[in-house]
Amino acid sequence: MQARFLGITELVEVPSVAVVVDVMRAFTVAAWAFAQGAEKIVLAESLDEALALKTRRPDWVALKDGPPAPGFDTVNSPGLLRSIDLGGRTVVQKTTAGTVGALAVKEASLVLCAGFVVAEATARLLRARRCDSVTFVVTGEDGRADEDLACAQYIARRAAGAGADAAEFLRRADASRAAAELREGVRQGAHPDDVALCLELDRFPFAMVATPEDSLMVLRPHAAPSPTDEASR
């Protein structure tokens, strides 16, 4: 498998297959939302769009980066989201980097959103789809966020069938600028457990696939093929 690792601003053409990585915290939050029962996640282009969607559908759950704000139900924190029952609900998510990255590749034939919590499931889906060329979108810090790059590189190795010691990749993420800012309270709307939750390798058994639906980009969980299924292909 040929893998490219690009920042959002480096995307000059539509990739065939894109894996959009945001470890801290957009797609860790998305995975937790599905674990808490959410049916789907609408990736909003702006705060105004998120609020407009929430106004039209008051039953939807809107969340954003940063501190709580009027019109939004919660913030982009896995530590805070894990206590919310989202059974059957639709979540509207707008973040600084993750949702921007996913929308930047919305015309790709396959768009996966990922973090460490769904790393192996994502790799399995890439293997099952026999993806020859994959563009990993490193969303944080203009493509330089080491937590996102480490996760992308780990998934790429697993998708290619190569062995990989997850400990080193997780260590890089734990030492990243984003992790430090979360621990030190630089980033608002955070929970003390957020870093640890973002570094839980393979916490969830599903991948997350984003597809256009009725002019919106919608993220849904996708069961990863089992090793037995992969072996039979």
Side-chain angles (χ1 to χ4, degrees):
M1 186 190 81
Q2 181 183 7
R4 297 189 304 164
F5 304 91
L6 301 176
I8 297 171
T9 60
E10 297 173 304
L11 294 165
V12 296
E13 59 185 13
V14 178
S16 174
V17 177
V19 178
V20 188
V21 180
D22 189 328
V23 173
M24 297 185 188
R25 292 162 288 170
F27 298 136
T28 301
V29 167
W32 269 98
F34 291 129
Q36 293 299 103
E39 177 186 351
K40 63 184 180 183
I41 298 173
V42 175
L43 305 176
E45 292 190 359
S46 66
L47 294 175
D48 286 343
E49 183 188 34
L51 289 173
L53 289 168
K54 172 70 177 179
T55 298
R56 293 201 298 269
R57 295 295 302 269
D59 57 317
W60 287 9
V61 177
L63 64 86
K64 60 177 281 293
D65 274 340
F72 287 88
D73 301 283
T74 187
V75 294
N76 193 48
S77 160
L80 295 171
L81 195 72
R82 64 183 169 173
S83 63
I84 301 175
D85 180 6
L86 296 172
R89 307 283 294 277
T90 293
V91 173
V92 180
Q93 185 181 36
K94 170 66 180 85
T95 70
T96 306
T99 58
V100 175
L103 291 166
V105 293
K106 62 183 179 182
E107 295 179 2
S109 60
L110 175 63
V111 178
L112 304 179
C113 296
F116 280 110
V117 291
V118 293
E120 185 62 24
T122 303
R124 283 184 185 175
L125 186 55
L126 290 171
R127 291 199 300 265
R129 298 286 181 94
R130 301 185 185 279
C131 299
D132 296 325
S133 177
V134 179
T135 296
F136 289 85
V137 183
V138 180
T139 59
E141 298 177 35
D142 294 324
R144 296 187 299 274
D146 204 34
E147 75 281 4
D148 293 338
L149 182 58
C151 183
Q153 291 171 337
Y154 177 73
I155 293 172
R157 288 182 62 85
R158 297 296 300 138
D165 180 5
E168 174 59 22
F169 296 94
L170 290 167
R171 184 202 64 76
R172 285 169 53 194
D174 192 42
S176 68
R177 174 181 171 182
E181 289 181 348
L182 284 169
R183 289 192 179 100
E184 295 165 7
V186 174
R187 300 190 181 191
Q188 294 181 288
H191 185 280
D193 293 341
D194 277 356
V195 173
L197 292 173
C198 290
L199 299 180
E200 285 190 319
L201 184 68
D202 304 328
R203 171 72 187 246
F204 304 114
F206 51 80
M208 299 186 293
V209 180
T211 55
E213 296 183 22
D214 299 326
S215 78
L216 299 172
M217 196 66 169
V218 176
L219 190 63
R220 295 180 185 272
H222 189 289
S226 68
T228 303
D229 291 338
E230 287 185 69
S232 66
R233 289 177 181 267

